[in-house]
Amino acid sequence: MQDNIKAALEKFEKLLVSQLERAERIKADKDFVDYSKLDTIIIGVCGGDGIGPTITNEAARVLKFLLKDEVSAGKVEFRNIEGLTIENRAAVGKAIPDDVLAELKKCHVILKGPTTTPQAGDKWPNIESANVAMRKELDLFANVRPVKVPALGIDWTFFRENTEGAYALGSSGIHVSDDLAIDFTVTTAEGSRRIARLAFEYARKNKKDRVSIVTKANVIKTTDGKFLNICKEISKDYPEITTDEWYIDIMTAKLIDDKRRRDFKVFILPNLYGDIITDEAAEFQGGVGTAGSGNIGKRYAMFEAIHGSAPRMVSEGREIYADPSSMLRAAVMLLSHIGHQDKADLLSRALDICMFEERSLVITGRNTGATCREYGDYVMSTVENLAKGLA
Ligand code: IPM
Ligand code: MG
């Protein structure tokens, strides 16, 4: 017993040191990259597992179509990054193989397909999720997830803290003894400040007059309490914006209250609550398959779907029918992030037409609907019609 406690304390001490070092690195971090000052913006394309390569390559094809002039002029370069597969990760026992990480770090922004996340008891070694590892390695601290359902008056943007909370040490919990296992939740002051700042700045720029801070600070008093207090502190710099506080349980309920939910605009949440509630939110829009997300850091940014790799579709030979909508929505966010707002708006409008209005092609995930490639062609022809003023 004493030995177990001693071993746990030693491990805990190491965790504290590593988290304090991380907090220092966050403080030392300078400004965001200014893409307009780069000679060439390098976009890494990383397919992932399952349906990942199919939907990611399709979104990359659409992006290349939209950016063809920039590519010819050498202002944008696409780079395929191979090797972020569960087989490779399992073989080297790492969430991201070293050579893949080195290639990722040579890019400015990354379009990434879903990756398989091992869990205890499945056929893979229980290594850390590649998503979570990439968010940490590239310090992608803000997970920005928009959800829009115009017909229901829903226009939400979630700012999910992406490197701390329950995820920071999610693969470093302590198995003290057969009777006791402990995980940790982490909040740093600067980590909370930077996500709050980004969310309020976004609200101000986009004329959103409400920001809702969502925690469980009544129970998780120390870490959620700190997160909440810091968000409230930052809110004082934005007097034109109404800031309110919610607990995650009642917010989860309020998202299905059609009288209240249209009041919400921008949300700030710790990592785990943000993970859970954005799946719920995406469901109103047509499911997680329709939602893209931006993982934003000061130096790098990565854009992905919010769903998993759908291995069943692949084992049933249906991956050609996979829906690329989530990755195309992620592509919209990528275009906006690197300063091509006009092209982002064009693609976003084309997706609204294809997904909600015209619906000349529909994806069903099976041979009863369009293939991923056909859908990509449909989106590109819609973009062309819009550009010609025909749609
Ligand atoms: C997400 C996913 C990931 C997460 C998984 C795959 C690790 O659910 O991006 O929301 O929990 O963050
Ligand atoms: Mg999730």
Side-chain angles (χ1 to χ4, degrees), residues 83-148:
L84 191 70
T85 59
I86 184 66
E87 292 78 10
N88 284 350
R89 288 183 280 131
V92 297
K94 281 193 165 176
I96 307 178
D98 293 341
D99 54 333
V100 177
L101 185 59
E103 289 306 310
L104 289 170
K105 286 188 171 170
K106 289 183 201 152
C107 302
H108 298 106
V109 293
I110 297 150
L111 185 70
K112 177 190 146 299
T115 45
T116 299
T117 300
Q119 133 188 340
D122 66 17
K123 65 172 178 170
W124 303 109
N126 197 12
I127 46 179
E128 187 179 39
S129 138
N131 289 37
V132 174
M134 200 181 294
R135 292 166 186 166
K136 286 183 192 166
E137 284 289 347
L138 306 181
D139 201 19
L140 308 173
F141 66 88
N143 196 322
V144 185
R145 299 187 158 182
V147 168
K148 213 172 173 181

Side-chain angles (χ1 to χ4, degrees), residues 11 55 142 203 362:
K11 195 168 172 200
I55 60 176
V362 178

Side-chain angles (χ1 to χ4, degrees), residues 287-330:
V288 289
T290 62
S293 87
N295 295 262
I296 313 292
K298 293 205 167 161
R299 187 138 172 231
Y300 299 102
M302 180 265 280
F303 299 84
E304 61 178 347
I306 80 165
H307 57 79
S309 57
R312 186 138 42 105
M313 282 195 81
V314 180
S315 64
E316 293 172 5
R318 292 188 284 117
E319 71 267 36
I320 60 163
Y321 299 105
D323 187 349
S325 301
S326 55
M327 291 305 297
L328 289 165
R329 292 282 177 196

Side-chain angles (χ1 to χ4, degrees), residues 27-247:
K27 280 195 226 159
D29 229 358
K30 306 273 161 359
D31 293 334
F32 282 90
V33 169
D34 181 349
Y35 294 95
S36 66
K37 297 224 167 80
L38 298 175
D39 293 336
T40 306
I41 301 174
I42 303 174
I43 303 177
V45 179
C46 195
D49 299 306
I51 60 168
T54 307
I55 60 176
T56 309
N57 290 337
E58 200 50 43
R61 199 163 72 90
V62 173
L63 271 179
K64 285 176 192 161
F65 165 77
L66 280 155
L67 290 167
K68 54 181 175 295
D69 294 344
E70 287 72 13
V71 171
S72 324
K75 290 193 153 70
V76 169
E77 180 189 326
F78 282 87
R79 238 179 237 183
N80 266 337
I81 298 180
E82 308 289 344
L84 191 70
T85 59
I86 184 66
E87 292 78 10
N88 284 350
R89 288 183 280 131
V92 297
K94 281 193 165 176
I96 307 178
D98 293 341
D99 54 333
V100 177
L101 185 59
E103 289 306 310
L104 289 170
K105 286 188 171 170
K106 289 183 201 152
C107 302
H108 298 106
V109 293
I110 297 150
L111 185 70
K112 177 190 146 299
T115 45
T116 299
T117 300
Q119 133 188 340
D122 66 17
K123 65 172 178 170
W124 303 109
N126 197 12
I127 46 179
E128 187 179 39
S129 138
N131 289 37
V132 174
M134 200 181 294
R135 292 166 186 166
K136 286 183 192 166
E137 284 289 347
L138 306 181
D139 201 19
L140 308 173
F141 66 88
N143 196 322
V144 185
R145 299 187 158 182
V147 168
K148 213 172 173 181
V149 192
L152 300 177
I154 292 175
D155 186 359
W156 298 327
T157 310
F158 295 86
F159 283 78
R160 162 187 175 189
E161 200 295 317
N162 214 19
T163 49
E164 305 199 337
Y167 282 61
L169 297 173
S171 297
S172 310
I174 300 181
H175 189 269
V176 181
S177 71
D178 284 347
D179 293 325
L180 179 65
I182 301 219
D183 269 313
F184 302 100
T185 294
V186 179
T187 294
T188 68
E190 201 51 36
S192 308
R193 262 182 224 123
R194 61 184 183 174
I195 182 80
R197 184 65 72 193
L198 199 71
F200 277 102
E201 282 296 311
Y202 169 85
R204 175 170 278 171
K205 255 191 230 131
N206 292 280
K207 309 236 169 336
K208 311 264 181 194
D209 57 6
R210 181 180 296 271
V211 171
S212 305
I213 309 164
V214 187
T215 67
K216 187 75 187 177
N218 52 341
V219 176
I220 315 296
K221 293 184 191 291
T222 312
T223 44
D224 277 11
K226 191 176 192 71
F227 185 89
L228 173 61
N229 283 338
I230 289 176
C231 290
K232 286 202 307 200
E233 197 54 44
I234 300 277
S235 76
K236 291 185 190 146
D237 293 342
Y238 303 83
E240 79 280 16
I241 295 172
T242 304
T243 300
D244 49 22
E245 303 166 32
W246 294 80
Y247 296 132

